[in-house]
Amino acid sequence: MQRKIVVLNGCNLNLLGTREPETYGRDTLADIEALCRKTGEECEVEIEFFQTNFEGEMIEKIQSCRGNTSALVLNAAAWTHTSVAIRDAVTAIDVPLFEVHITNVHKRDAFRHHSFLSDVSVGVICGFGIQGYEYAIRKAALLTKS
Ligand code: DQA
């Protein structure tokens, strides 16, 4: 199987570029996708890129990765802090998870300090802007190399 890394983006991340730019910067989701695809080429892994504002759709996407995906890079956005259901979807499929956040969630509101995903992730990258996606893909590609 050609290695495939699936990059998943949760609610409101479609608004990047115009959403609270003082917090999230000016890069758009399309910029993130381009960065992920470039990194995938350099690491010789296939990249699938996905965003949804619907929690059930995210769960179905995660479930569909079972058996055909080397790693998940997930920015679950607000669901990080709220969703047992997304955590359960991740633990159900036995695919290594790399949690990403653009911002340093630990410097922000207290309700962002808890993640339902961190303890089921290989690692967490936060606070490095959109480069966090690149770092996660590079690490996931290294760890899944046979
Ligand atoms: C985020 C951080 C979350 O707390 C927030 O709800 C987001 C984006 C980030 O990438 O920094 O929507 O995941």
Side-chain angles (χ1 to χ4, degrees), residues 50-71:
F50 178 80
Q51 189 275 331
T52 181
N53 291 323
F54 297 92
E55 189 173 358
E57 202 168 75
M58 178 63 88
I59 290 166
E60 288 191 343
K61 185 69 190 175
I62 292 169
Q63 289 182 5
S64 78
C65 293
R66 175 146 71 171
N68 59 41
T69 299
S70 311

Side-chain angles (χ1 to χ4, degrees), residues 9-30:
N9 296 278
C11 46
N12 301 306
L13 295 175
N14 57 310
L15 297 181
L16 286 172
T18 55
R19 171 194 183 197
E20 300 175 72
E22 63 292 349
T23 301
Y24 294 106
R26 295 266 172 210
D27 292 312
T28 65
L29 194 65

Side-chain angles (χ1 to χ4, degrees), residues 19-145:
R19 171 194 183 197
E20 300 175 72
E22 63 292 349
T23 301
Y24 294 106
R26 295 266 172 210
D27 292 312
T28 65
L29 194 65
D31 295 328
I32 296 176
E33 179 170 1
L35 175 64
C36 290
R37 294 201 183 283
K38 179 170 169 278
T39 307
E41 269 171 37
E42 288 168 12
C43 298
E44 297 177 339
V45 290
E46 182 187 339
I47 297 291
E48 189 179 329
F49 195 87
F50 178 80
Q51 189 275 331
T52 181
N53 291 323
F54 297 92
E55 189 173 358
E57 202 168 75
M58 178 63 88
I59 290 166
E60 288 191 343
K61 185 69 190 175
I62 292 169
Q63 289 182 5
S64 78
C65 293
R66 175 146 71 171
N68 59 41
T69 299
S70 311
L72 291 181
V73 170
L74 173 60
N75 184 348
W79 296 324
T80 307
H81 320 297
T82 62
S83 182
V84 175
I86 287 182
R87 176 200 172 92
D88 283 352
V90 166
T91 56
I93 64 166
D94 198 28
V95 175
L97 176 69
F98 297 74
E99 179 182 348
V100 170
H101 302 284
I102 294 165
T103 61
N104 180 351
V105 285
H106 301 290
K107 268 169 67 175
R108 299 183 61 196
D109 324 78
F111 63 80
R112 296 181 204 276
H113 298 177
H114 178 259
S115 164
F116 281 103
L117 301 171
S118 298
D119 68 311
V120 294
S121 295
V122 178
V124 182
I125 296 174
C126 74
F128 297 117
I130 73 168
Q131 274 69 43
Y133 287 81
E134 175 183 346
Y135 304 150
I137 290 169
R138 287 193 187 284
K139 189 66 183 176
L142 264 183
L143 289 181
T144 58
K145 214 168 190 163

